[in-house]
Amino acid sequence: MSKVALITGASRGIGKQIAITLAKNGFDIALNCRKETDSVIETKREIEEYKVKCLIVEGDVSKYEDSESITKKTVDEFGKIDVLVNNAGITNDMLLIRMKQEDFINVINTNLVGTFNMTKNVASYMMKAKSGRIINVSSVVGISGNAGQSNYSASKAGIIGFTKSLAKELAGRNILVNAVAPGFIQTDMTNILKDEVKEKIVQQIPLKREGTAEEVANVVKFLASDDSSYITGQVIQIDGGMLM
Ligand code: NAP
């Protein structure tokens, strides 16, 4: 029986690539997106070419009732969830002086509360199964902080504390909980930056280039695989040496 992976925020970018990479490795995929668009349907087709099943599950992870329905639809279809990847995330960068409370709360609600919502729902199935992997997508700025990203950094630092706490809580049920902390990865999230800003960031990266969604997905694949069976509570940086 194939393993089942549920990936949040998989309409594009890193989440989409994680879904494709896990499909290539034989996982059936539950692909969460906020809205089922033509491009999401195209991704489903691409995934099915790897001879695995793919279910599109719409829902906003920041809403608890949506996280319940995303989880239920996945379990109804596949009977289980072996791997949860909490990838959905947003930015809304600005200096604190200009930041309204809602700018702070919206980012926390999607990135951190969304991770809580999905984990709370999925972990109850994994606990019954006494097995599972939860992989949370944090960021290097959750470790280092970053001017203009106090909301985003706080959400990503929160994900690290959440990951370590749950790794301790769930180890007895054979559920491994880890995080990845990408650095500067080429997606829509970073494409909004001006070329000169991008170039400045790249110059601070020892490998002198942006990372790719595939390079993040490959580490997630490792954390979802039997090869990482003695790793829990860790934060793996995928950043070309950006933060050491
Ligand atoms: P992206 O291209 O902007 O994609 C973000 C994804 O999250 C989209 O699929 C988006 O769906 C989805 N999403 C946003 N809010 C959601 C919600 N409330 N419910 C469900 N899905 C939601 O960004 P990305 O670069 O792939 O980022 C993926 C993850 O990696 C994020 O957690 C991000 O913080 C993290 N990360 C990225 C970088 C980087 O350099 N790119 C670095 C460190 C960490 P829609 O299509 O509906 O908007």
Side-chain angles (χ1 to χ4, degrees):
M1 197 181 183
S2 300
K3 288 196 170 173
V4 177
L6 166 57
I7 301 111
T8 69
S11 67
R12 53 199 169 92
I14 293 170
K16 173 180 166 178
Q17 188 56 51
I18 290 171
I20 291 169
T21 300
L22 292 181
K24 266 189 207 168
N25 283 270
F27 283 82
D28 287 333
I29 302 294
L31 198 147
N32 160 251
C33 58
R34 282 191 284 198
K35 272 272 154 282
E36 185 177 318
T37 58
D38 288 347
S39 127
V40 173
I41 293 166
E42 188 47 44
T43 304
K44 174 178 155 75
R45 271 196 216 110
E46 190 177 341
I47 284 172
E48 285 168 347
E49 278 171 21
Y50 297 107
K51 307 284 173 232
V52 297
K53 293 184 197 130
C54 180
L55 173 76
I56 297 172
V57 267
E58 280 184 338
D60 177 339
V61 297
S62 68
K63 297 182 179 149
Y64 194 76
E65 59 278 17
D66 283 19
S67 71
E68 284 178 308
S69 75
I70 294 165
T71 307
K72 187 175 180 309
K73 281 179 190 160
T74 305
V75 173
D76 286 350
E77 176 75 11
F78 296 120
K80 60 173 186 164
I81 301 172
D82 298 291
V83 176
L84 167 66
V85 184
N86 283 308
N87 165 79
I90 57 167
T91 51
N92 190 7
D93 300 351
M94 65 192 89
L95 296 173
L96 179 73
I97 203 83
R98 294 204 192 94
M99 195 178 286
K100 296 195 193 79
Q101 194 195 39
E102 66 184 80
D103 299 322
F104 189 82
I105 289 175
N106 287 344
V107 171
I108 298 286
N109 274 349
T110 297
N111 300 2
L112 182 57
V113 179
T115 297
F116 163 81
N117 289 345
M118 289 307 306
T119 304
K120 164 106 181 138
N121 279 286
V122 173
S124 71
Y125 289 98
M126 289 180 170
M127 285 168 84
K128 278 182 216 134
K130 292 196 170 62
S131 151
R133 301 288 172 94
I134 299 170
I135 302 156
N136 297 324
V137 180
S138 177
S139 165
V140 289
V141 304
I143 302 166
S144 65
N146 195 22
Q149 290 197 305
S150 59
N151 48 5
Y152 182 76
S153 305
S155 73
K156 294 299 185 180
I159 285 175
I160 292 174
F162 183 71
T163 300
K164 292 184 180 184
S165 302
L166 280 189
K168 290 181 180 179
E169 273 185 39
L170 299 176
R173 301 290 183 118
N174 192 31
I175 301 167
L176 311 186
V177 190
N178 290 290
V180 292
F184 193 52
I185 311 297
Q186 207 172 28
T187 67
D188 293 348
M189 191 174 270
T190 50
N191 278 344
I192 55 169
L193 298 171
K194 290 191 188 122
D195 282 348
E196 57 263 35
V197 176
K198 280 196 216 166
E199 193 42 44
K200 218 171 143 193
I201 298 172
V202 164
Q203 283 317 314
Q204 290 160 11
I205 301 171
L207 287 182
K208 295 278 181 272
R209 64 172 177 85
E210 292 172 69
T212 64
E214 213 163 3
E215 288 170 317
V216 178
N218 284 337
V219 179
V220 172
K221 175 187 80 178
F222 166 68
L223 290 173
S225 77
D226 293 341
D227 291 341
S228 61
S229 52
Y230 202 53
I231 299 177
T232 195
Q234 301 305 304
V235 183
I236 302 185
Q237 290 175 218
I238 309 158
D239 66 355
M242 192 181 191
L243 182 72
M244 296 190 210

